[in-house]
Amino acid sequence: MDQFVLNWIFIGASFALYIGIAIWARAGSTSEFYAAGRGVHPVVNGMATGADWMSAASFISMAGLIAFTGYDNSTFLMGWTGGYVLLALMLAPYLRKFGKFTVSEFIGDRFYSPTARLVAVICLIVASITYVIGQMTGVGVAFGRFLEVDNTTGLLIGAAVVFAYAVFGGMKGVTYTQVAQYVVLITAYTIPAIFISLQLTGNPVPALGLFGDHAASGEPLLAKLDQIVSELGFNEYTAHHADTLNMVLFTLSLMIGTAGLPHVIMRFFTVPTVASARWSAGWALVFIALLYLTAPAVGAMARLNISELMWPNGTDGEPVSTEMMEADEKYAWMATWEKTGLLGWEDKNGDGKIAYFNQGNADKVAAMEAAGWGSENELTNFNRDILVLANPEIANLPGWVIALVAAGGLAAALSTAAGLLLAISSAVSHDLLKGQLTPDMSEANELMSARIAMAAAIVVATYLGLNPPGFAAQTVALAFGLAAASIFPALMMGIFSKRVNNVGAVSGMLVGLTVTLVYIFLHKGWFFIPGTNSFDDSDPLLLTIKSTSFGAVGAALNFATAILVSNATKAPPQEIVDLVESVRVPRGAGAAAADH
């Protein structure tokens, strides 16, 4: 069967499943729209959290970034996984015990201030919109290749699908849709990884195959990869080469940003009890680990496959010829991806060969010139976001596997996009309209306003997704930095400090958000408009701290501002001190669950 038809069958069937589930689980009340009626089983919620958590950045982009950088980009794995543990242990149970619908509502009540709630809404919307841009980028990449449409059309199709199941289903519909999406994405991710691991190492478990022997050479796989990339003039794959300060701050930014992400925190409001929130967190970590233990192997094996494809006779032989690329079926995937504009090559010296190497390495350039292959890298474009989606084709796997990966990539992007859009819509309808502007709003009108807010957010996210400020995972990292600098400190101080007051919390959030957002705009362009940046991440404004790592600095400024201002102003009232005590102490958790 034709590959295009297979893609349509797999993607169409998965979309029909998602929309069907949304119709079946349509939200009929605000409780169902915001928190699925608080009746979701911990295992189901754990699986839905896994899908909500593993976005296009995890599925599509992360392995690509690891593949082309190696050990230094393991920060994505360490930061995101560590952050989830932090969220599960330090925040989720306490927020569930508090018993509110949204993060902003908790901040408003804990800091006894409508202003605090409003500022939290602003922080949430800024971080979530930035995050959605990364998801829409992934949607465009996946559709552009597998449905053979341009990026704009792909974004519009993806936006329409999200609209169909998220706007009408709310949290109840999104929860059960995300369970289906998790099954699709984890199957789509692991099956190609198993095939490729078997091909390269003979081991069906990719995480074990990564540390096994390369079947063709008998050498350890990672040693073989280190040798090839070094011979091509790149850094050793398994060694640390990046700036250590930036690496530590980036990992920390991802960790605390994870613990401040409202769309993930909201998932813990959907379970019936505090104990269920803890169990949900545990199950979610299991489901997340299935992909995160596989991603490093996917990246490493793909890099090895690509290097060997470009140098079929070994790095001491000839590079691949243009004639071979046109005639050999192993290279058909390159012509297909070239049409998307995300992959490109050029025979610059007219020798009929495509030489792939690091043209930034002077020694390698000299060696390539001496060998007659020219001084320029001729694999001119390899977008990191395509690697996982192209992996089955690179490894020459069956057509149904390619189609399954397409469905999985879209599931990952759309599941997280739906969760983020739900967080945005609940912030606008429940926290801004109902909580601030029109407190007498009826439940029906609140539900309608939530749906309108989500539709508007989809339009904005789609527009911004057309011009993202980086690869999907890099864009998402910016969102994590914003959440780290603004929301996470307020939540931590709200739960674990009795002294931080309303003035301190508002001051801290405003300082953290503003400083971090300005730093990002200075490096990525104002409001992400290309060409308006004053610096770039290769030459950052402050020391060696890139824009994606600045969230940790913003968080420190948030904490410091909040504590200093709180100590210089009036202490919180006694009822707030008692509230903090009741949320933090396990005693009474059962009563709290029963009350809510």
Side-chain angles (χ1 to χ4, degrees), residues 90-102:
M90 302 293 286
L91 294 180
Y94 303 107
L95 292 173
R96 173 60 190 91
K97 187 178 177 183
F98 195 77
K100 298 297 182 180
F101 282 136
T102 68

Side-chain angles (χ1 to χ4, degrees), residues 34 102 104 117 120-122 124-125 266 422-433:
Y34 296 137
T102 68
S104 307
R117 187 172 182 175
V121 169
I122 295 169
L124 183 152
I125 290 174
M266 283 178 66
L422 188 60
I424 294 169
S425 72
S426 62
V428 172
S429 61
H430 188 67
D431 294 312
L432 184 59
L433 297 179

Side-chain angles (χ1 to χ4, degrees), residues 9-34:
I9 290 172
F10 274 75
I11 293 171
S14 64
F15 282 6
L17 175 64
Y18 307 152
I19 294 170
I21 290 172
I23 294 171
W24 167 72
R26 181 185 171 106
S29 66
T30 52
S31 176
E32 289 183 338
F33 191 90
Y34 296 137

Side-chain angles (χ1 to χ4, degrees), residues 260-332:
L261 285 174
H263 74 290
V264 176
I265 294 172
M266 283 178 66
R267 292 242 48 92
F268 296 101
F269 298 153
T270 65
V271 292
T273 65
V274 176
S276 297
R278 295 184 188 277
W279 276 108
S280 290
W283 279 109
L285 202 53
V286 170
F287 293 126
I288 290 168
L290 293 178
L291 188 145
Y292 273 38
L293 288 173
T294 305
V298 170
M301 293 174 186
R303 180 70 181 277
L304 183 59
N305 272 333
I306 291 164
S307 301
E308 291 184 330
L309 277 174
M310 299 309 295
W311 293 87
N313 304 304
T315 53
D316 55 350
E318 294 185 345
V320 64
S321 66
T322 52
E323 182 182 354
M324 186 177 184
M325 290 173 70
E326 292 169 2
D328 194 325
E329 188 65 28
K330 289 190 300 184
Y331 296 88

Side-chain angles (χ1 to χ4, degrees), residues 72 240-249 543-546:
D72 287 329
H240 171 47
H241 303 281
D243 176 75
T244 302
L245 171 63
N246 186 74
M247 188 176 186
V248 170
L249 289 177
L543 301 176
T544 55
I545 303 172
K546 297 181 180 181

